Amino acid sequence: MTDLAVRFEGVGKTYPFFTLEGIDLDVPTGTIAGLVGANGAGKSTIIRILIGLVQQDRGNVRVLGYDLPKHLVAAKGEIGFVSEDLRLYASATLAWHINFIRSIFGTWDSAYADRLLQRFDLKPAQKIRGLSRGQRIKAGLMLALARRPRLLVLDEPTAGLDPIARREVLAALTDVLADEDRTVLFSSQNTLDIEQISDQITFIDRGRIVESADKESLLESWRSIRLRVPPGVVLPTLPGVMRDGGTDRVPHLTAKPFEPAMAEAFQAAGATVEAVKRMTLEEIFVAGVMRERESTRG
Ligand code: ATP
């Protein structure tokens, strides 16, 4: 068994108006990894490469110990995929899909499928056409999970779901990891979802990785700092500190990696440190993206 379910090394893909570049991404076996990015950041492109729908132009992709695209067929048998635009047959029932997938995958777990049907309140006799958006996502999740894939990949699984359905989907994802050999990678524009269930978080912007770390160290390394600056006081320039709002008299700063010595340096210069706070994942995401854009400008 490999310790890494996913390894991307220098992966790139070029489209006429978009380039995915230098993607290095390691997802340890048995973790939930979240990809966060704005519209068009490149999340789906990474996911499509990962599940073999698209081939990388550059770099190495290794999934569950298989090199892609070379060993795609073997890898696909062990990857479950759920996306917003699930390719289910509208006029067929859920039972039909269950039978179809069971006939293809020897790993189908009927008892688990029944539990998931109950839990998601899905009826096998229902036609896909009659399912609501939330039910459709749950149906896709059930069909993917009951195959017991070693790697579950989800593209925006919670998009457009109401809070209850969202919670059920997130809970099901957490449950998947009761078996420590399983790994989940999912994308979302919603930092709350990612914060709730991910162990490892990767921020993507404009085809590049802005930051990738385990959740705890990410939340630990960033702080927002609010200062009061009397007239005439010049703030020292400190590495890792950037202004992201406020006024010249009451600037709001972000710091990464935060060091207590930063606050001391501002105080020594004559400013008052009014607050040093931990940041939410959303605030960290925005600050990280703004920094990256600033550093690549020009
Ligand atoms: P969203 O949250 O909106 O789904 P995303 O982060 O998943 O965005 P991608 O779907 O990976 O982003 O798209 C990234 C960029 O790649 C987009 O600008 C898109 O137009 C471009 N792109 C994706 N697939 C193709 C393709 N087959 N041909 C040309 N351009 C493409």
Side-chain angles (χ1 to χ4, degrees), residues 232-256:
V233 166
V234 178
L235 292 178
T237 306
L238 302 176
V241 176
M242 265 183 75
R243 176 154 162 198
D244 83 337
T247 61
D248 287 349
R249 295 289 302 279
V250 188
H252 294 180
L253 311 173
T254 58
K256 196 233 161 196

PDB file of all heavy atoms in Angstrom, residues 232-256:
ATOM      1  N   GLY A 232       2.321  60.633  12.319  1.00  0.00           N
ATOM      2  CA  GLY A 232       3.787  60.725  12.385  1.00  0.00           C
ATOM      3  C   GLY A 232       4.478  59.390  12.567  1.00  0.00           C
ATOM      4  O   GLY A 232       5.692  59.277  12.365  1.00  0.00           O
ATOM      5  N   VAL A 233       3.718  58.364  12.957  1.00  0.00           N
ATOM      6  CA  VAL A 233       4.346  57.049  13.168  1.00  0.00           C
ATOM      7  C   VAL A 233       4.441  56.316  11.827  1.00  0.00           C
ATOM      8  O   VAL A 233       3.470  56.231  11.080  1.00  0.00           O
ATOM      9  CB  VAL A 233       3.538  56.203  14.182  1.00  0.00           C
ATOM     10  CG1 VAL A 233       3.980  54.742  14.149  1.00  0.00           C
ATOM     11  CG2 VAL A 233       3.681  56.781  15.580  1.00  0.00           C
ATOM     12  N   VAL A 234       5.643  55.829  11.540  1.00  0.00           N
ATOM     13  CA  VAL A 234       5.833  55.063  10.297  1.00  0.00           C
ATOM     14  C   VAL A 234       5.961  53.586  10.667  1.00  0.00           C
ATOM     15  O   VAL A 234       6.813  53.212  11.501  1.00  0.00           O
ATOM     16  CB  VAL A 234       7.104  55.534   9.557  1.00  0.00           C
ATOM     17  CG1 VAL A 234       7.323  54.693   8.293  1.00  0.00           C
ATOM     18  CG2 VAL A 234       6.993  57.013   9.212  1.00  0.00           C
ATOM     19  N   LEU A 235       5.098  52.775  10.071  1.00  0.00           N
ATOM     20  CA  LEU A 235       5.124  51.344  10.407  1.00  0.00           C
ATOM     21  C   LEU A 235       6.311  50.661   9.744  1.00  0.00           C
ATOM     22  O   LEU A 235       6.625  50.947   8.583  1.00  0.00           O
ATOM     23  CB  LEU A 235       3.844  50.658   9.920  1.00  0.00           C
ATOM     24  CG  LEU A 235       2.549  51.046  10.630  1.00  0.00           C
ATOM     25  CD1 LEU A 235       1.381  50.301   9.982  1.00  0.00           C
ATOM     26  CD2 LEU A 235       2.622  50.713  12.116  1.00  0.00           C
ATOM     27  N   PRO A 236       6.971  49.748  10.457  1.00  0.00           N
ATOM     28  CA  PRO A 236       8.045  48.993   9.815  1.00  0.00           C
ATOM     29  C   PRO A 236       7.472  48.042   8.765  1.00  0.00           C
ATOM     30  O   PRO A 236       6.339  47.582   8.900  1.00  0.00           O
ATOM     31  CB  PRO A 236       8.663  48.204  10.981  1.00  0.00           C
ATOM     32  CG  PRO A 236       7.588  48.108  12.003  1.00  0.00           C
ATOM     33  CD  PRO A 236       6.733  49.334  11.856  1.00  0.00           C
ATOM     34  N   THR A 237       8.237  47.779   7.723  1.00  0.00           N
ATOM     35  CA  THR A 237       7.820  46.781   6.739  1.00  0.00           C
ATOM     36  C   THR A 237       8.316  45.424   7.223  1.00  0.00           C
ATOM     37  O   THR A 237       9.505  45.232   7.422  1.00  0.00           O
ATOM     38  CB  THR A 237       8.466  47.087   5.365  1.00  0.00           C
ATOM     39  OG1 THR A 237       8.144  48.433   5.031  1.00  0.00           O
ATOM     40  CG2 THR A 237       7.948  46.153   4.294  1.00  0.00           C
ATOM     41  N   LEU A 238       7.386  44.513   7.449  1.00  0.00           N
ATOM     42  CA  LEU A 238       7.765  43.197   7.968  1.00  0.00           C
ATOM     43  C   LEU A 238       7.443  42.121   6.936  1.00  0.00           C
ATOM     44  O   LEU A 238       6.356  42.152   6.336  1.00  0.00           O
ATOM     45  CB  LEU A 238       7.001  42.889   9.264  1.00  0.00           C
ATOM     46  CG  LEU A 238       7.172  43.888  10.405  1.00  0.00           C
ATOM     47  CD1 LEU A 238       6.282  43.504  11.577  1.00  0.00           C
ATOM     48  CD2 LEU A 238       8.631  43.951  10.857  1.00  0.00           C
ATOM     49  N   PRO A 239       8.377  41.192   6.713  1.00  0.00           N
ATOM     50  CA  PRO A 239       8.081  40.127   5.748  1.00  0.00           C
ATOM     51  C   PRO A 239       6.881  39.298   6.204  1.00  0.00           C
ATOM     52  O   PRO A 239       6.754  38.991   7.384  1.00  0.00           O
ATOM     53  CB  PRO A 239       9.364  39.279   5.735  1.00  0.00           C
ATOM     54  CG  PRO A 239      10.168  39.718   6.905  1.00  0.00           C
ATOM     55  CD  PRO A 239       9.695  41.062   7.331  1.00  0.00           C
ATOM     56  N   GLY A 240       5.995  39.005   5.270  1.00  0.00           N
ATOM     57  CA  GLY A 240       4.821  38.191   5.611  1.00  0.00           C
ATOM     58  C   GLY A 240       3.630  39.004   6.064  1.00  0.00           C
ATOM     59  O   GLY A 240       2.553  38.458   6.290  1.00  0.00           O
ATOM     60  N   VAL A 241       3.822  40.344   6.200  1.00  0.00           N
ATOM     61  CA  VAL A 241       2.705  41.183   6.640  1.00  0.00           C
ATOM     62  C   VAL A 241       2.225  42.025   5.465  1.00  0.00           C
ATOM     63  O   VAL A 241       3.026  42.634   4.765  1.00  0.00           O
ATOM     64  CB  VAL A 241       3.133  42.112   7.798  1.00  0.00           C
ATOM     65  CG1 VAL A 241       1.989  43.057   8.167  1.00  0.00           C
ATOM     66  CG2 VAL A 241       3.555  41.285   9.005  1.00  0.00           C
ATOM     67  N   MET A 242       0.898  42.004   5.243  1.00  0.00           N
ATOM     68  CA  MET A 242       0.322  42.825   4.174  1.00  0.00           C
ATOM     69  C   MET A 242      -0.916  43.545   4.663  1.00  0.00           C
ATOM     70  O   MET A 242      -1.636  43.033   5.507  1.00  0.00           O
ATOM     71  CB  MET A 242      -0.068  41.943   2.981  1.00  0.00           C
ATOM     72  CG  MET A 242       1.006  41.891   1.914  1.00  0.00           C
ATOM     73  SD  MET A 242       0.454  40.921   0.513  1.00  0.00           S
ATOM     74  CE  MET A 242      -0.686  42.040  -0.262  1.00  0.00           C
ATOM     75  N   ARG A 243      -1.128  44.736   4.116  1.00  0.00           N
ATOM     76  CA  ARG A 243      -2.352  45.451   4.477  1.00  0.00           C
ATOM     77  C   ARG A 243      -3.486  44.951   3.608  1.00  0.00           C
ATOM     78  O   ARG A 243      -3.316  44.789   2.405  1.00  0.00           O
ATOM     79  CB  ARG A 243      -2.136  46.942   4.251  1.00  0.00           C
ATOM     80  CG  ARG A 243      -3.387  47.725   4.503  1.00  0.00           C
ATOM     81  CD  ARG A 243      -3.096  49.136   4.895  1.00  0.00           C
ATOM     82  NE  ARG A 243      -4.314  49.912   4.707  1.00  0.00           N
ATOM     83  CZ  ARG A 243      -4.335  51.207   4.622  1.00  0.00           C
ATOM     84  NH1 ARG A 243      -3.220  51.898   4.700  1.00  0.00           N
ATOM     85  NH2 ARG A 243      -5.479  51.840   4.462  1.00  0.00           N
ATOM     86  N   ASP A 244      -4.637  44.678   4.239  1.00  0.00           N
ATOM     87  CA  ASP A 244      -5.752  44.253   3.386  1.00  0.00           C
ATOM     88  C   ASP A 244      -7.014  45.053   3.654  1.00  0.00           C
ATOM     89  O   ASP A 244      -8.106  44.618   3.335  1.00  0.00           O
ATOM     90  CB  ASP A 244      -5.993  42.743   3.498  1.00  0.00           C
ATOM     91  CG  ASP A 244      -6.832  42.380   4.705  1.00  0.00           C
ATOM     92  OD1 ASP A 244      -6.867  43.181   5.663  1.00  0.00           O
ATOM     93  OD2 ASP A 244      -7.473  41.320   4.678  1.00  0.00           O
ATOM     94  N   GLY A 245      -6.855  46.227   4.242  1.00  0.00           N
ATOM     95  CA  GLY A 245      -8.034  47.066   4.425  1.00  0.00           C
ATOM     96  C   GLY A 245      -7.807  48.080   5.532  1.00  0.00           C
ATOM     97  O   GLY A 245      -6.670  48.321   5.963  1.00  0.00           O
ATOM     98  N   GLY A 246      -8.913  48.667   5.988  1.00  0.00           N
ATOM     99  CA  GLY A 246      -8.836  49.679   7.028  1.00  0.00           C
ATOM    100  C   GLY A 246      -8.343  51.005   6.455  1.00  0.00           C
ATOM    101  O   GLY A 246      -8.378  51.228   5.249  1.00  0.00           O
ATOM    102  N   THR A 247      -7.894  51.882   7.354  1.00  0.00           N
ATOM    103  CA  THR A 247      -7.426  53.216   6.937  1.00  0.00           C
ATOM    104  C   THR A 247      -5.972  53.357   7.366  1.00  0.00           C
ATOM    105  O   THR A 247      -5.436  52.484   8.061  1.00  0.00           O
ATOM    106  CB  THR A 247      -8.245  54.302   7.658  1.00  0.00           C
ATOM    107  OG1 THR A 247      -8.031  54.142   9.078  1.00  0.00           O
ATOM    108  CG2 THR A 247      -9.735  54.171   7.351  1.00  0.00           C
ATOM    109  N   ASP A 248      -5.335  54.479   6.968  1.00  0.00           N
ATOM    110  CA  ASP A 248      -3.943  54.692   7.388  1.00  0.00           C
ATOM    111  C   ASP A 248      -3.835  54.763   8.917  1.00  0.00           C
ATOM    112  O   ASP A 248      -2.854  54.311   9.495  1.00  0.00           O
ATOM    113  CB  ASP A 248      -3.395  55.998   6.791  1.00  0.00           C
ATOM    114  CG  ASP A 248      -3.131  55.844   5.300  1.00  0.00           C
ATOM    115  OD1 ASP A 248      -3.171  54.675   4.819  1.00  0.00           O
ATOM    116  OD2 ASP A 248      -2.933  56.862   4.618  1.00  0.00           O
ATOM    117  N   ARG A 249      -4.872  55.306   9.545  1.00  0.00           N
ATOM    118  CA  ARG A 249      -4.836  55.426  11.011  1.00  0.00           C
ATOM    119  C   ARG A 249      -5.192  54.098  11.687  1.00  0.00           C
ATOM    120  O   ARG A 249      -4.691  53.797  12.778  1.00  0.00           O
ATOM    121  CB  ARG A 249      -5.826  56.516  11.480  1.00  0.00           C
ATOM    122  CG  ARG A 249      -5.484  57.920  11.017  1.00  0.00           C
ATOM    123  CD  ARG A 249      -4.254  58.446  11.742  1.00  0.00           C
ATOM    124  NE  ARG A 249      -4.428  58.461  13.185  1.00  0.00           N
ATOM    125  CZ  ARG A 249      -5.064  59.407  13.859  1.00  0.00           C
ATOM    126  NH1 ARG A 249      -5.586  60.447  13.212  1.00  0.00           N
ATOM    127  NH2 ARG A 249      -5.174  59.360  15.173  1.00  0.00           N
ATOM    128  N   VAL A 250      -6.105  53.350  11.068  1.00  0.00           N
ATOM    129  CA  VAL A 250      -6.518  52.052  11.651  1.00  0.00           C
ATOM    130  C   VAL A 250      -6.379  50.969  10.568  1.00  0.00           C
ATOM    131  O   VAL A 250      -7.372  50.472  10.020  1.00  0.00           O
ATOM    132  CB  VAL A 250      -7.972  52.111  12.166  1.00  0.00           C
ATOM    133  CG1 VAL A 250      -8.328  50.838  12.947  1.00  0.00           C
ATOM    134  CG2 VAL A 250      -8.199  53.319  13.053  1.00  0.00           C
ATOM    135  N   PRO A 251      -5.149  50.603  10.236  1.00  0.00           N
ATOM    136  CA  PRO A 251      -4.979  49.614   9.164  1.00  0.00           C
ATOM    137  C   PRO A 251      -5.307  48.197   9.621  1.00  0.00           C
ATOM    138  O   PRO A 251      -5.105  47.851  10.784  1.00  0.00           O
ATOM    139  CB  PRO A 251      -3.487  49.739   8.816  1.00  0.00           C
ATOM    140  CG  PRO A 251      -2.845  50.282  10.052  1.00  0.00           C
ATOM    141  CD  PRO A 251      -3.876  51.092  10.779  1.00  0.00           C
ATOM    142  N   HIS A 252      -5.846  47.423   8.681  1.00  0.00           N
ATOM    143  CA  HIS A 252      -6.063  45.988   8.926  1.00  0.00           C
ATOM    144  C   HIS A 252      -4.980  45.242   8.162  1.00  0.00           C
ATOM    145  O   HIS A 252      -4.828  45.425   6.963  1.00  0.00           O
ATOM    146  CB  HIS A 252      -7.431  45.544   8.420  1.00  0.00           C
ATOM    147  CG  HIS A 252      -8.555  46.166   9.170  1.00  0.00           C
ATOM    148  ND1 HIS A 252      -9.872  45.919   8.885  1.00  0.00           N
ATOM    149  CD2 HIS A 252      -8.560  47.029  10.207  1.00  0.00           C
ATOM    150  CE1 HIS A 252     -10.634  46.602   9.711  1.00  0.00           C
ATOM    151  NE2 HIS A 252      -9.862  47.298  10.515  1.00  0.00           N
ATOM    152  N   LEU A 253      -4.255  44.406   8.869  1.00  0.00           N
ATOM    153  CA  LEU A 253      -3.150  43.690   8.241  1.00  0.00           C
ATOM    154  C   LEU A 253      -3.405  42.188   8.320  1.00  0.00           C
ATOM    155  O   LEU A 253      -4.157  41.716   9.172  1.00  0.00           O
ATOM    156  CB  LEU A 253      -1.835  44.000   8.969  1.00  0.00           C
ATOM    157  CG  LEU A 253      -1.528  45.471   9.235  1.00  0.00           C
ATOM    158  CD1 LEU A 253      -0.274  45.585  10.113  1.00  0.00           C
ATOM    159  CD2 LEU A 253      -1.310  46.222   7.932  1.00  0.00           C
ATOM    160  N   THR A 254      -2.765  41.439   7.428  1.00  0.00           N
ATOM    161  CA  THR A 254      -2.742  39.984   7.592  1.00  0.00           C
ATOM    162  C   THR A 254      -1.279  39.560   7.676  1.00  0.00           C
ATOM    163  O   THR A 254      -0.412  40.188   7.055  1.00  0.00           O
ATOM    164  CB  THR A 254      -3.421  39.246   6.415  1.00  0.00           C
ATOM    165  OG1 THR A 254      -2.781  39.607   5.198  1.00  0.00           O
ATOM    166  CG2 THR A 254      -4.902  39.562   6.340  1.00  0.00           C
ATOM    167  N   ALA A 255      -1.033  38.534   8.464  1.00  0.00           N
ATOM    168  CA  ALA A 255       0.343  38.079   8.661  1.00  0.00           C
ATOM    169  C   ALA A 255       0.440  36.581   8.457  1.00  0.00           C
ATOM    170  O   ALA A 255      -0.383  35.810   8.945  1.00  0.00           O
ATOM    171  CB  ALA A 255       0.797  38.426  10.074  1.00  0.00           C
ATOM    172  N   LYS A 256       1.456  36.185   7.673  1.00  0.00           N
ATOM    173  CA  LYS A 256       1.719  34.758   7.460  1.00  0.00           C
ATOM    174  C   LYS A 256       3.188  34.536   7.127  1.00  0.00           C
ATOM    175  O   LYS A 256       3.668  35.115   6.168  1.00  0.00           O
ATOM    176  CB  LYS A 256       0.859  34.230   6.322  1.00  0.00           C
ATOM    177  CG  LYS A 256       0.794  32.719   6.294  1.00  0.00           C
ATOM    178  CD  LYS A 256       1.153  32.198   4.948  1.00  0.00           C
ATOM    179  CE  LYS A 256       1.530  30.715   5.127  1.00  0.00           C
ATOM    180  NZ  LYS A 256       2.224  30.193   4.011  1.00  0.00           N
TER     181      LYS A 256
END
